[in-house]
Amino acid sequence: MDIGRWFSILNRRSQLFVVEACAEMHLTYSEYVMLIRIYDHEGARQDDLAEMLFLDKAVVTRTMNLLQEKGLVRRERDEDDRRVRRIFLTDYGREKHAYLRNIIQRWVDYLTAGMDPEEVRTMIAGFRALAERASQANLPRLARHISDVPEKGGYILEVEKEGQNHEKQERR
């Protein structure tokens, strides 16, 4: 099955595009993703960002340090709980918002060029559903139940059969 390969190619090429588009700002892919999340949740706690992005708190702290060094974010202690640090954009960070948002839009526009708009809407809805399901997965439990015997059937095989049947009907 090639679906794993396709996901891998799409993910890797997407990351490479983002890094290329962010080269002048010297942003890594992780920093880009963190900034996009901050734009949507300015004032969030670092721990909240870690949870939203499914990242270790230490990774978020390191990324925040780099973003702060680059002048894009600032951290403020919470007035009610001095242990909590909230994340805010600097003026420079706000200034780069439209550009950073347009990076992913440009990539999606490139990928979907020539596709039927309804097909794009269906694909986006499918990706959203996959992302929601993935974020809810109990990964350790799911990983424990993998057989070493090749599976027969399954959803992907059914989709392939459906596509082949549809092609045969169209040829008639």
Side-chain angles (χ1 to χ4, degrees), residues 111-129:
L111 291 174
T112 59
M115 292 176 71
D116 177 77
E118 186 56 39
E119 186 179 14
V120 173
R121 279 190 288 279
T122 300
M123 184 180 58
I124 290 170
F127 272 118
R128 182 179 296 120

Side-chain angles (χ1 to χ4, degrees), residues 5 19-20 39 44 55 87 107 148-149:
R5 182 173 161 268
V19 169
E20 184 67 29
Y39 287 131
L55 295 172
I87 309 301
W107 183 236
D148 59 356
V149 177

Side-chain angles (χ1 to χ4, degrees), residues 42 68 70-74 88-95:
E42 189 168 4
Q68 195 168 9
K70 293 174 184 179
L72 293 158
V73 301
R74 61 185 165 76
F88 296 91
L89 297 163
T90 62
D91 290 341
Y92 176 62
R94 278 191 194 85
E95 178 185 311

